[in-house]
Amino acid sequence: MLGFTRNDFPDDFLFGTATSSYQIEGHAFGGAGTTHWDTFAATPGNVVRGENGARACDHYHRFEEDFDLVAAAGFDAYRFSTSWARVLPEGRGAPNQEGLDFYDRLTDALLERGLKPCATLYHWELPAPLADLGGWRNRDIAGWFADYTEVIMGRIGDRMFSVAPINEPWCVGWLSHFLGQHAPGLRDIRATAHAMHHVLLAHGHAIETMRGLGMENLGGVFNMEWATPADDSAAAQNAAALYDGYYNHFFLSGVFKGTYPEIVMQGLEPHMPKGWQDDFAIIQAPLDWCGINYYTRKIIAPNDGLWPSHHEIGGPLPKTFMEWEIYPEGLYNFLTRTAAEYTGDLPLYVTENGMAAPDVLEHGTVADPHRIDYLNSHVAMVQKALADGVPLRGYFIWSLLDNYEWALGYDKRFGLVHVDFDTLDRTPKSSYHALTTALTRT
Ligand code: GCO
């Protein structure tokens, strides 16, 4: 049982679930162009079992059935992303009409079911021809992204409830260019500094483009991990502060304050693109809301290595199938801190929260009491933040379906709905049924 119902929340508080294009659609269908995730996954050693998003959940052909499930659970809103390479197979130039038609039908299918469409324009599948030109390392990406924004939002922007340009700038910048764990798999500090800045420049240009189309309710979606120092030493405190700096503060600070944190610039400044200081007028394009994706915390210890001179160590808390510690307090900390330090009265949303488990289908049902516990403990923090006056307007669960968990392939199951990746059958898990009870309006 869930320990809450929607009656415990303000009337206009939105409950939603979130997905992303490459993780569910089936990228092989409908004339989409090659992305850097296709080529990253085709390179040995990058993705578990070499899995990719070619078929995924075949949402491309089954979205109506999937949206029936979203509506039947009592959700108000659905967060999805549009694929750049499906809309513009070459990244620029001629659109793929089939792709535009798909997102048009998808939008109407949501509206027909009374679901609010909440779009993200980029959830990591960069068209390969743009990756060839340097991708996020190339400043021109801000213009390419604005052009893509114009094409896709020119078609569906009139019906969106909300839009955010880029999902999780940290993942686009640091995870993909410094840690090399996501496409394009680089491990280069100059590439990182350029990508981290250009991703915000592209964000700002896309916001301006959508304002030009007359659109409203535009925001940003930032992932955050709470950083806990490994011990009480000053060195451990500094190590955690630096992690907090490049992970959590960097992007919010750029967008809401027009500056980057000093502690991060100590390492990145020599590698920044020329003239970066002059871009904040665009990066700071005013937003209508801010979204926070939250899953876990990390425990950070200092070391003698090269900057950033720290590493993660294992923690004592119970862990999800991702080996991520379950630390609900971090969500509360981020909601209150973001409002206090960055966004003030601006509406906040939890745009992603959820957990992976090795869920199995037995006798036609999938029992996931662990997920119900996870949701209970995190929603309690949402309620605590609301009680403190944080202007929180909604909570989105990652994810509707078991899906392609990037470099970890298909066995990290995050869904409220189980997917059999052979038959593609959908089976709602017990967490889905519990949510239906909690969310259905009575
Ligand atoms: C994320 C991602 C998802 C992941 C999820 C679990 O936005 O981090 O949006 O793509 O699947 O976070 O790792």
Side-chain angles (χ1 to χ4, degrees):
M1 276 282 285
L2 286 165
F4 62 93
T5 76
R6 69 158 62 246
N7 298 331
D8 302 325
F9 289 82
D11 274 353
D12 55 358
F13 190 88
L14 299 181
F15 286 93
T17 184
T19 64
S20 92
S21 49
Y22 193 80
Q23 293 180 274
I24 64 169
E25 285 176 359
H27 196 72
F29 310 124
T34 304
T35 77
H36 70 175
W37 261 96
D38 299 305
T39 58
F40 180 77
T43 309
N46 285 340
V47 178
V48 174
R49 295 175 297 274
E51 290 170 348
N52 61 38
R55 186 171 79 147
C57 305
D58 191 25
H59 177 73
Y60 186 79
H61 296 109
R62 298 167 195 247
F63 65 94
E64 303 252 7
E65 169 194 345
D66 292 338
F67 294 166
D68 285 344
L69 287 168
V70 180
F75 284 114
D76 308 291
Y78 175 73
R79 179 170 173 255
F80 68 103
S81 73
T82 55
S83 163
W84 190 341
R86 182 178 295 294
V87 172
L88 297 169
E90 296 295 317
R92 301 179 286 178
N96 169 29
Q97 284 307 327
E98 219 179 318
L100 284 170
D101 292 347
F102 170 66
Y103 291 120
D104 196 74
R105 282 184 281 126
L106 180 148
T107 298
D108 286 341
L110 290 170
L111 293 174
E112 279 161 20
R113 290 164 178 78
L115 296 166
K116 292 180 165 48
C118 304
T120 304
L121 295 171
Y122 184 76
H123 201 124
W124 310 349
E125 58 282 281
L126 188 71
L130 300 183
D132 295 341
L133 299 175
W136 292 102
R137 288 175 288 159
N138 186 335
R139 182 182 175 88
D140 291 346
I141 197 159
W144 305 332
F145 187 63
D147 292 345
Y148 154 61
T149 300
E150 179 108 33
V151 173
I152 180 63
M153 285 300 137
R155 182 70 181 268
I156 64 172
D158 56 332
R159 284 158 289 160
M160 293 300 108
F161 172 75
S162 67
V163 184
I166 289 162
N167 180 67
E168 303 189 345
W170 179 86
C171 292
V172 179
W174 194 273
L175 185 66
S176 306
H177 295 83
F178 197 78
L179 301 180
Q181 293 173 10
H182 277 192
L186 292 176
R187 297 185 65 238
D188 184 286
I189 196 167
R190 178 177 164 92
T192 304
H194 282 60
M196 285 170 73
H197 183 67
H198 293 152
V199 77
L200 290 186
L201 190 63
H203 157 90
H205 273 290
I207 294 290
E208 281 184 352
T209 299
M210 290 190 281
R211 296 288 181 210
L213 292 170
M215 293 176 61
E216 293 170 359
N217 210 16
L218 309 178
V221 170
F222 306 90
N223 58 314
M224 302 187 192
E225 274 188 3
W226 194 253
T228 301
D231 57 49
D232 291 338
S233 67
Q237 309 280 335
N238 286 340
L242 175 54
Y243 187 89
D244 193 24
Y246 64 71
Y247 203 121
N248 305 311
H249 287 293
F250 184 89
F251 303 98
L252 287 179
S253 182
V255 168
F256 293 105
K257 294 188 172 167
T259 171
Y260 293 140
E262 175 55 35
I263 192 171
V264 182
M265 295 317 274
Q266 284 168 12
L268 287 191
E269 162 66 290
H271 309 288
M272 292 294 284
K274 278 205 189 69
W276 61 272
Q277 299 90 340
D278 303 328
D279 288 331
F280 287 108
I282 295 165
I283 290 172
Q284 281 189 277
L287 298 182
D288 304 309
W289 55 272
C290 174
I292 295 174
N293 293 354
Y294 177 78
Y295 293 92
T296 191
R297 72 159 179 185
K298 291 287 161 58
I299 299 179
I300 307 299
N303 63 37
D304 296 333
L306 291 172
W307 188 91
S309 319
H310 62 216
H311 58 279
E312 294 169 17
I313 59 172
L317 301 176
K319 297 180 183 60
T320 73
F321 199 36
M322 297 289 282
E323 295 298 319
W324 291 346
E325 282 190 296
I326 299 175
Y327 185 66
E329 294 79 5
L331 178 57
Y332 172 79
N333 296 345
F334 280 127
L335 291 170
T336 49
R337 185 173 92 177
T338 302
E341 292 185 21
Y342 293 102
T343 54
D345 295 335
L346 208 66
L348 295 182
Y349 290 88
V350 176
T351 31
E352 283 181 29
N353 179 231
M355 69 169 288
D359 298 323
V360 288
L361 176 64
E362 276 172 337
H363 312 299
T365 63
V366 183
D368 62 341
H370 37 270
R371 185 168 287 102
I372 293 176
D373 290 346
Y374 185 99
L375 295 175
N376 271 331
S377 60
H378 288 78
V379 169
M381 294 299 148
V382 164
Q383 290 178 293
K384 190 171 172 208
L386 278 168
D388 284 2
V390 173
L392 186 61
R393 299 291 153 76
Y395 174 77
F396 289 71
I397 297 167
W398 183 270
S399 184
L400 174 64
L401 304 170
D402 293 339
N403 61 44
Y404 179 61
E405 181 54 26
W406 306 109
L408 301 177
Y410 283 97
D411 57 7
K412 304 293 180 202
R413 294 177 176 274
F414 272 90
L416 299 170
V417 174
H418 179 274
V419 177
D420 178 323
F421 289 107
D422 294 323
T423 63
L424 296 174
D425 286 348
R426 275 74 163 143
T427 308
K429 302 179 188 177
S430 53
S431 57
Y432 172 96
H433 294 299
L435 276 161
T436 307
T437 305
L439 299 184
T440 302
R441 289 178 197 277
T442 46

